[in-house]
Amino acid sequence: MSTTVSHWANNKPYPGTSNATAPVTNPATGQVTGQVALANVADARAVIDAAAAAFPAWRDTSLAKRTSILFRFRELLNERKGELAQIITAEHGKVLSDALGEISRGQEVVEFACGIPHLLKGGFTENASTKVDVFNIRQPLGPIGIISPFNFPAMVPMWFFPIAIAAGNTVVLKPSEKDPTASIWLAELWKEAGLPDGVFNVLQGDKTAVDELLTNPSIKSISFVGSTPIAQYVYATGTAAGKRVQALGGAKNHAIILPDADLDLAADAMVNAGFGSAGERCMAISVAVAVGDIADELVAKITERARTITTGDGTKNSDMGPLVTAAHRDKVASYVDAGEQAGATVVLDGRGVDADGGADGFWLGPTLFDNVTPDMSIYTDEIFGPVLSVVRVDSYDQALELINSNPYGNGTAIFTNDGGAARRFQNEVEVGMVGINVPIPVPMAYYSFGGWKASLFGDTHAHGTEGIHFFTRAKAITSRWLDPSHGGLNLGFPQNA
């Protein structure tokens, strides 16, 4: 009998009242390994109520106490992240090294949040008027909702919840039903770190759970990462209900390779950024824009490297794992069919890959297209798989126009040895995150993560100081005290409490 991954409320599993479940599958074998609970409205409200009940006490918990728990969570995560990586690989399919990398990038936000007392400091003006002082403080919002995608079941939630919790909010996390177990592992770790009941909760489910988070008046903000159509829905529904919303949407990330670039470096980068995690990254490079007469050589170098990639079970010595579900594998394969039919050159075809894994695994190998044009679906759509398209242009200006006219604006990169060209590109390109000779420009935790255009709905990016402002609100206080007060004698050295 398979196990059921349940919800989490008040620091313990919460089975809920719904009997609805969805299968959890190992993508490398195609086998169902468990079930995940799907919340009904009553279940969703019970989990949200736990967060709401815990908020007043957590809001009033001292910064010293909050950060001490956060530090403990960081230490436990660092000691045991190998366990979490195995869970991610078993349910998502990415190779273990990639899963560990995901956790490490999420841990950077935990470490950033450990310094939140300094970042929450307000301002003070003495004697703004006669004997009148004015100061401002930042206070937590209340219970907040996080709706995270399947491709990063640990890192994406960690973009949000460390800062939210450190700032004094309580959390309801709604993970993807495709790989839900990581969320429960994180909840158990928070409990071990000493987080009080109800501060971190997990709501499993589908659209029913999402809609309750978007409309329930107890939830004060929503942080979402996923496809652009769903991001639009989340933003419209959440803001209509009076919530703050940061909804990070889809991407079609281009990399420009200029004629003066180191083509070996560029080819390595295209392979790593295009096929890492089977292309299931919102920061994956899916379009390589070859400028001038370098295209033939660049394509040859990418092909040479991509042919060496071993596709297989993520627990084995593989470079790239399976896609997350059979349906998604079939969808990506249909794009390969469409690209071929549209006249693009299939340089490397992953549809018949000989994978080192189960016969029923969801396999699709690295696929490379050349001579792709902007009217083809393999160019216009976010495929979210190991499919890299090469577009040939004559000039930098044409390459820039290609990127700036694209509806997405998540990440981009330029490969060049010309500092002037790089500086011009970073100034002119209409994209939220830019890499210069860096293929996946994911910023450090103390900078913001987020795109432009149809890659972001809302005006606030994830983590960094923008994350702190998102999870707090300002309060300005004007005070006048006419008589001094006396607290008596206390010769002890002041202590944090």
Side-chain angles (χ1 to χ4, degrees):
M1 183 177 180
S2 62
T3 59
T4 298
V5 182
S6 68
H7 318 288
W8 182 272
N10 288 319
N11 269 344
K12 59 181 181 291
Y14 170 64
T17 60
S18 171
N19 293 321
T21 62
V24 179
T25 306
N26 183 333
T29 65
Q31 301 302 306
V32 173
T33 57
Q35 301 289 323
V36 59
L38 298 179
N40 56 27
V41 172
D43 297 335
R45 290 177 179 173
V47 176
I48 291 168
D49 288 348
F55 172 65
W58 184 244
R59 173 196 60 203
D60 295 336
T61 299
S62 71
L63 276 169
K65 180 63 174 177
R66 282 188 229 152
T67 53
S68 71
I69 294 173
L70 205 67
F71 269 108
R72 179 59 179 151
F73 178 81
R74 187 266 176 199
E75 292 304 299
L76 289 170
L77 180 63
N78 197 47
E79 291 168 6
R80 294 168 48 191
K81 57 187 175 184
E83 299 174 21
L84 182 55
Q86 290 177 340
I87 290 170
I88 293 169
T89 296
E91 293 184 352
H92 173 276
K94 65 178 66 175
V95 299
L96 279 171
S97 60
D98 196 35
L100 283 167
E102 165 185 349
I103 298 163
S104 295
R105 294 310 304 267
Q107 185 175 313
E108 291 172 6
V109 184
V110 178
E111 292 163 353
F112 170 76
C114 286
I116 207 165
H118 171 71
L119 299 167
L120 285 179
K121 289 188 303 185
F124 189 98
T125 300
E126 185 181 30
N127 228 35
S129 185
T130 303
K131 294 186 178 180
V132 174
D133 304 325
V134 181
F135 58 99
N136 68 284
I137 59 177
R138 299 203 68 86
Q139 293 185 315
L141 304 177
I144 65 99
I146 299 169
I147 304 168
S148 65
F150 75 84
N151 60 326
F152 287 105
M155 184 185 74
V156 167
M158 282 195 278
W159 282 351
F160 305 112
F161 69 65
I163 296 172
I165 288 172
N169 302 280
T170 55
V171 171
V172 177
L173 167 61
K174 208 301 284 185
S176 169
E177 57 271 35
K178 295 180 177 67
D179 43 13
T181 304
S183 62
I184 300 300
W185 189 94
L186 289 165
E188 291 170 342
L189 206 71
W190 273 119
K191 179 179 181 179
E192 189 174 344
L195 196 68
D197 292 357
V199 177
F200 184 84
N201 309 276
V202 178
L203 176 62
Q204 310 286 3
D206 50 18
K207 188 175 184 295
T208 299
V210 168
D211 285 347
E212 185 61 30
L213 284 173
L214 295 178
T215 57
N216 190 297
S218 293
I219 297 295
K220 304 306 180 185
S221 74
I222 294 291
S223 300
F224 170 86
V225 178
S227 69
T228 286
I230 305 302
Q232 289 177 303
Y233 172 79
V234 166
Y235 182 75
T237 308
T239 53
K243 306 182 192 305
R244 288 187 179 183
V245 179
Q246 48 183 182
L248 283 67
K252 195 69 180 182
N253 302 322
H254 296 60
I256 293 177
I257 299 92
L258 294 185
D260 71 310
D262 181 329
L263 292 188
D264 287 314
L265 171 67
D268 286 342
M270 294 306 95
V271 171
N272 295 337
F275 304 131
S277 195
E280 293 175 326
R281 292 172 176 159
C282 64
M283 293 298 288
I285 292 294
S286 55
V287 181
V289 185
V291 179
D293 60 1
I294 61 165
D296 288 345
E297 185 178 359
L298 177 66
V299 169
K301 287 179 178 293
I302 293 173
T303 305
E304 177 186 10
R305 288 158 172 78
R307 288 190 191 281
T308 68
I309 293 174
T310 301
T311 302
D313 190 322
T315 62
K316 299 180 179 180
N317 190 27
S318 300
D319 302 308
M320 192 183 88
L323 295 178
V324 68
T325 64
H328 185 56
R329 185 268 320 279
D330 293 345
K331 181 180 178 181
V332 174
S334 74
Y335 275 107
V336 181
D337 297 340
E340 185 177 29
Q341 292 165 9
T345 304
V346 184
V347 181
L348 194 62
D349 190 340
R351 288 172 291 188
V353 66
D354 182 15
D356 183 14
D360 296 324
F362 311 139
W363 307 112
L364 186 78
T367 299
L368 177 64
F369 280 104
D370 192 8
N371 300 303
V372 174
T373 57
D375 60 314
M376 297 177 180
S377 64
I378 55 172
Y379 176 83
T380 58
D381 297 359
E382 183 182 29
I383 298 174
F384 224 63
V387 179
L388 178 65
S389 297
V390 176
V391 176
R392 299 178 179 226
V393 298
D394 295 327
S395 67
Y396 164 86
D397 288 332
Q398 288 178 326
L400 180 70
E401 173 60 23
L402 200 65
I403 297 173
N404 285 350
S405 63
N406 194 276
Y408 297 109
N410 204 45
T412 189
I414 187 169
F415 287 82
T416 180
N417 285 312
D418 184 337
R423 192 175 188 278
R424 179 182 171 188
F425 180 71
Q426 72 186 40
N427 176 59
E428 295 177 339
V429 74
E430 296 172 8
V431 173
M433 292 171 284
V434 181
I436 298 172
N437 297 318
V438 174
I440 307 179
V442 177
M444 296 294 289
Y446 38 86
Y447 285 91
S448 65
F449 180 102
W452 290 9
K453 298 185 284 189
S455 294
L456 176 71
F457 298 88
D459 58 0
T460 306
H461 288 181
H463 57 68
T465 54
E466 289 197 45
I468 290 171
H469 280 255
F470 182 80
F471 290 118
T472 60
R473 53 188 170 184
K475 181 182 285 184
I477 301 163
T478 303
S479 69
R480 178 171 61 188
W481 295 98
L482 301 180
D483 298 308
S485 60
H486 299 281
L489 296 176
N490 184 348
L491 302 187
F493 196 83
Q495 299 181 38
N496 289 327

